[in-house]
Amino acid sequence: HKAAVMLDSGAHSFHKFFRYGSNATKLKSSLGDGGVDGFVERYAQFVLHSNKNKLLYDWYVTFDYIKDCPTIYKVTKQLQKLGVFPVPVYHGDHDLSWVQRYIDEGHKVIGVGLDRKGKHDRDNVRRYYDAIFSLTEKAGVHCHGFAVTGDLMFQFPWYSCDSTTYIKAGAYGKILDFRPEKQRLGTMHVTDKYAGPGSFETLCPSIQKEIRVSAELKGFDFNQLRTSPFYRAMYNAVIMLESIEYHMRRPVEWIPVRTAITK
């Protein structure tokens, strides 16, 4: 299907372990005797094995197990010494000089994460991405957006993005709802086990019928959408692709801003 594949390092799971103190023991046991360094070595071995056996992925990411620029930089250098050259990741926890450092070292793709602080303030998020793209676009460096969904995918010149929204929404009893006039992806509870605010059950009969018919026109059984998380995930993938196709026909032009770099 000519789809590109990114190999992630599994760092997201480590973020969760570090966030909750009660999981510290589990984290230590999962790392083994070598600790983080041992895991870095095993990750490098896996990448080298994959390359040798021509497993199909286009690029791979550094092990950003803590959202801390100096630590991520150190681990990236460790991996390079072990013979693998991952895409570095910037999470916004330090100033933009770290992005500039990766640019100066010749990286052609940089992964862009989002620190939890200010994550739900859309204006802050846009300013954050503006500042990064103001640097990378001038240098001809591409950006991969981690967990970038909806209109944010189309307001910036991303090289690529990843998102698990379609799976997570399905697991929590929701389907995606794309409204072209709003140019945003929304969600709706459709599971037959929930009848609270924002659910299918609270809608008027005419809107319920419209949603049922829309799902069926896409080839989905609405009753099955209400009961199966896997089926909802498939439906959500279709909706997400529809939103992407819509936006690709109407690209949003990004206007760069002047950005000061703190050295």
Side-chain angles (χ1 to χ4, degrees):
H1 297 285
K2 298 182 181 179
V5 177
M6 174 194 71
L7 174 64
D8 208 344
S9 64
H12 180 70
S13 299
F14 281 81
H15 295 166
K16 290 186 175 181
F17 278 123
F18 276 104
R19 197 177 303 147
Y20 304 108
S22 61
N23 286 321
T25 302
K26 293 180 182 178
L27 174 61
K28 186 176 180 180
S29 63
S30 67
L31 288 172
D33 295 335
V36 172
D37 289 342
F39 187 89
V40 170
E41 290 179 6
R42 293 200 298 276
Y43 181 49
Q45 290 169 4
F46 178 79
V47 171
L48 291 170
H49 170 78
S50 300
N51 290 343
K52 181 180 179 181
N53 290 278
K54 298 182 179 179
L55 299 184
L56 299 179
Y57 56 80
D58 296 82
W59 49 279
Y60 49 93
V61 182
T62 194
F63 181 45
D64 54 323
Y65 71 99
I66 295 179
K67 295 180 180 180
D68 176 66
C69 283
T71 303
I72 295 171
Y73 184 80
K74 175 185 174 183
V75 170
T76 303
K77 287 298 183 183
Q78 283 180 265
L79 288 167
Q80 289 175 350
K81 288 180 181 179
L82 293 169
V84 299
F85 300 90
V87 167
V89 179
Y90 175 73
H91 286 285
D93 53 282
H94 285 64
D95 61 62
L96 287 167
S97 64
W98 289 92
V99 176
Q100 187 65 53
R101 179 179 296 196
Y102 289 127
I103 292 172
D104 293 342
E105 291 186 0
H107 290 277
K108 297 303 181 185
V109 180
I110 297 175
V112 179
L114 193 61
D115 193 22
R116 293 182 67 81
K117 186 177 181 180
K119 186 174 182 179
H120 301 294
D121 185 322
R122 297 186 70 81
D123 288 336
N124 280 343
V125 170
R126 288 191 179 94
R127 283 193 288 269
Y128 170 68
Y129 289 146
D130 262 329
I132 293 171
F133 278 105
S134 291
L135 286 179
T136 56
E137 286 295 288
K138 291 175 184 176
V141 171
H142 297 303
C143 288
H144 171 83
F146 287 96
V148 178
T149 307
D151 54 329
L152 287 174
M153 277 197 290
F154 310 102
Q155 293 180 359
F156 299 93
W158 297 104
Y159 176 63
S160 57
C161 297
D162 68 64
S163 173
T164 57
T165 295
Y166 72 102
I167 296 176
K168 288 182 177 178
Y172 288 114
K174 301 176 183 180
I175 59 172
L176 296 182
D177 178 42
F178 176 62
R179 302 283 170 154
E181 65 275 11
K182 294 182 178 180
Q183 297 191 22
R184 292 189 65 179
L185 278 170
T187 59
M188 178 187 303
H189 283 279
V190 295
T191 175
D192 55 354
K193 297 180 181 179
Y194 176 77
S199 73
F200 177 79
E201 294 293 340
T202 62
L203 299 174
C204 67
S206 61
I207 299 298
Q208 288 183 342
K209 181 179 179 180
E210 179 184 331
I211 293 169
R212 282 182 175 275
V213 170
S214 177
E216 289 167 2
L217 287 174
K218 291 178 174 61
F220 289 85
D221 183 320
F222 188 77
N223 291 328
Q224 198 169 346
L225 281 176
R226 304 198 72 188
T227 58
S228 170
F230 177 72
Y231 200 65
R232 285 193 293 270
M234 290 194 296
Y235 177 84
N236 289 343
V238 169
I239 298 300
M240 184 169 283
L241 286 173
E242 285 185 357
S243 75
I244 290 172
E245 290 169 358
Y246 174 86
H247 281 291
M248 293 298 285
R249 293 194 299 270
R250 298 165 178 80
V252 176
E253 183 180 357
W254 174 72
I255 302 174
V257 295
R258 292 178 61 86
T259 305
I261 304 172
T262 304
K263 293 292 185 181

